[in-house]
Amino acid sequence: YVAVFETSTPDTYYVDAEAGNDVSGDGSETAPWRTITHAMSEMAGSGLELRIASGAYNRALGEVFPIFMKSGISLSGVDRTATVIQGDGTANLLQFASTTQFSTATAIRGLKLTSGQRAIYIDGTASPGTGPLIEDNWLTSNQYGIWITAANGGLVQGEVRANLITSNSLAGIYQNVDRGMAQSI
């Protein structure tokens, strides 16, 4: 088993479901963490990337859903068929909270997101708004692939591109707009 990524940088951290360890790991390529949940609790700053090895990231592994995204931290899987974030249908998988502003510098790439209530929940209810980059993922078998809320003057100006969105029971992309605006989707 070998996770294949480009050369690491000082702002790059690693998670590996098979070889990682949330107790003794430090997030380096040679000592990765085991769960995305743990990695997000350890990482702080902007311009950071969390590279996620092939494997299934689910409650059995130790993931806690929803996984709350942090501004300036991007998630990158090996590819959208090999790196799987798998819920059990009871919670959102990845969530962008309204209390934090995101830009396209915060990206989600190369992941399969499956079996969540909402694979990706973007809450744009706070002003001045939010706008992550959602690119080259496979969103499948959720209730909603992407749920976008823009209310109370909030604004969502993210980018959603080159994703495969299939077999979500209620909607692939849903925009909940109430006195707000959802744009550039």
Side-chain angles (χ1 to χ4, degrees), residues 66-73 75 92-103 106-108 119-125 130-134 146-147 149:
I67 296 170
F68 285 94
M69 295 297 298
K70 291 183 175 181
S71 183
I73 299 176
L75 305 182
N92 299 331
L93 301 180
L94 301 178
Q95 189 157 329
F96 292 85
S98 66
T99 55
T100 304
Q101 186 175 8
F102 295 91
S103 72
T106 302
I108 299 172
I120 300 171
Y121 177 54
I122 304 170
D123 187 345
T125 58
T130 197
L133 172 61
I134 312 299
I146 301 172
W147 176 289
T149 295

Side-chain angles (χ1 to χ4, degrees), residues 53-137:
S54 299
Y57 297 84
N58 53 36
R59 287 190 198 275
L61 185 70
E63 297 294 357
V64 177
F65 297 111
I67 296 170
F68 285 94
M69 295 297 298
K70 291 183 175 181
S71 183
I73 299 176
S74 295
L75 305 182
S76 298
V78 172
D79 73 48
R80 66 183 182 194
T81 61
T83 305
V84 181
I85 298 176
Q86 180 181 33
D88 59 10
T90 64
N92 299 331
L93 301 180
L94 301 178
Q95 189 157 329
F96 292 85
S98 66
T99 55
T100 304
Q101 186 175 8
F102 295 91
S103 72
T104 54
T106 302
I108 299 172
R109 293 185 180 96
L111 301 172
K112 179 179 180 182
L113 298 156
T114 187
S115 302
Q117 287 182 340
R118 299 170 184 101
I120 300 171
Y121 177 54
I122 304 170
D123 187 345
T125 58
S127 188
T130 197
L133 172 61
I134 312 299
E135 178 178 51
D136 196 30
N137 300 287

Side-chain angles (χ1 to χ4, degrees), residues 96-98 118 120-132 146-158 173-185:
F96 292 85
S98 66
R118 299 170 184 101
I120 300 171
Y121 177 54
I122 304 170
D123 187 345
T125 58
S127 188
T130 197
I146 301 172
W147 176 289
I148 301 164
T149 295
N152 304 319
L155 179 68
V156 175
Q157 291 184 299
I173 299 176
Y174 180 81
Q175 295 183 63
N176 180 23
V177 180
D178 176 26
R179 294 185 310 252
M181 297 172 23
Q183 297 181 343
S184 302
I185 300 301

